[in-house]
Amino acid sequence: MELALGTATLASFRNMQNKKDIGKFLREAYSAGLRHIDTAPLYSSLDAELLVGKFLPESQYPDLSISSKFGFKYSRLPYPINRMAMRLQTSSDESNLFRIQNADPLLELNRTLKRLKRSQLDTFYFHGVTKNVRYEMQIDKMNDLKKSGRIGNIGLSTNQLLNDIPPSIDILQIPFSNLS
């Protein structure tokens, strides 16, 4: 079994401790066997990707597998407000669907890799896909990114049951907690 760390709550660490403590936590998790981190620009208003990049750069941790996401519009708003904005974007509002549907995987991957100080991702998810979102164009672009070696796997992240998942999708991420 592989130990993985989700960084959605890294913001709460930021509020309670300083960034050096977060770095110590990330490095200790790595020393304990952590080899996969799941993150996204939306998590901690960009801070999660920036902190992972700062404290676990590819140059020092080349065997670390990192997955990230794109699709939601994110901002530098404080974490609780950014989480509310994310919930609003999952509504059926046409303007929000337009923003999600027109997300550019190449542009977002370049931004993510810069923040993470990485040359490639293990998995790149189209985040927050719903039944109302058309994602064929993004999947085509993600297939090109996979062929180029910049991403290892193509993923969809959703909280809904989807029909007709394209065969090029390697990983489907659904919300689940064994602790709930």
Side-chain angles (χ1 to χ4, degrees):
M1 178 170 36
E2 183 177 331
L3 180 63
L5 174 69
T7 61
T9 59
L10 216 51
S12 62
F13 289 7
R14 185 189 70 224
N15 292 335
M16 294 186 289
Q17 304 167 0
N18 65 44
K19 290 182 181 180
K20 287 182 183 178
D21 289 337
I22 293 172
K24 182 179 176 187
F25 166 76
L26 289 171
R27 289 182 181 128
E28 286 178 359
Y30 180 87
S31 294
L34 170 79
R35 291 300 180 271
H36 184 82
I37 292 183
D38 178 72
T39 191
L42 186 66
Y43 300 167
S44 309
S45 303
L46 298 176
D47 281 348
E49 286 187 340
L50 290 168
L51 290 167
V52 169
K54 178 177 182 174
F55 294 112
L56 298 173
E58 185 174 37
S59 60
Q60 295 173 346
Y61 300 89
D63 62 332
L64 187 62
S65 166
I66 297 183
S67 61
S68 193
K69 302 167 184 76
F70 76 98
F72 279 118
K73 185 169 176 61
Y74 52 86
S75 69
R76 296 289 303 178
L77 296 171
Y79 177 72
I81 295 170
N82 203 15
R83 293 290 291 176
M84 286 186 285
M86 182 184 81
R87 287 190 187 105
L88 291 174
Q89 290 186 53
T90 60
S91 72
S92 60
D93 175 29
E94 292 300 317
S95 64
N96 289 325
L97 288 176
F98 179 79
R99 254 184 265 134
I100 294 169
Q101 288 176 180
N102 288 295
D104 181 356
L106 178 58
L107 176 66
E108 295 304 324
L109 178 65
N110 288 336
R111 290 174 177 168
T112 286
L113 292 174
K114 184 176 180 180
R115 286 188 292 267
L116 288 169
K117 297 182 182 173
R118 297 259 152 192
S119 59
Q120 62 90 31
L121 290 178
D122 181 59
T123 304
F124 199 36
Y125 292 95
F126 189 10
H127 200 183
V129 173
T130 68
K131 293 175 187 176
N132 299 329
V133 173
R134 305 227 11 119
Y135 49 83
E136 294 84 3
M137 182 179 68
Q138 283 82 5
I139 299 304
D140 288 344
K141 289 182 179 181
M142 292 170 78
N143 278 317
D144 292 340
L145 292 170
K146 184 176 179 178
K147 287 176 191 169
S148 74
R150 298 193 65 207
I151 62 174
N153 297 292
I154 297 172
L156 290 180
S157 167
T158 184
N159 61 4
Q160 295 182 359
L161 293 175
L162 301 175
N163 300 323
D164 304 320
I165 297 169
S168 61
I169 300 301
D170 300 303
I171 300 174
L172 181 64
Q173 186 180 52
I174 57 173
F176 174 79
S177 173
N178 213 11
L179 304 174
S180 299

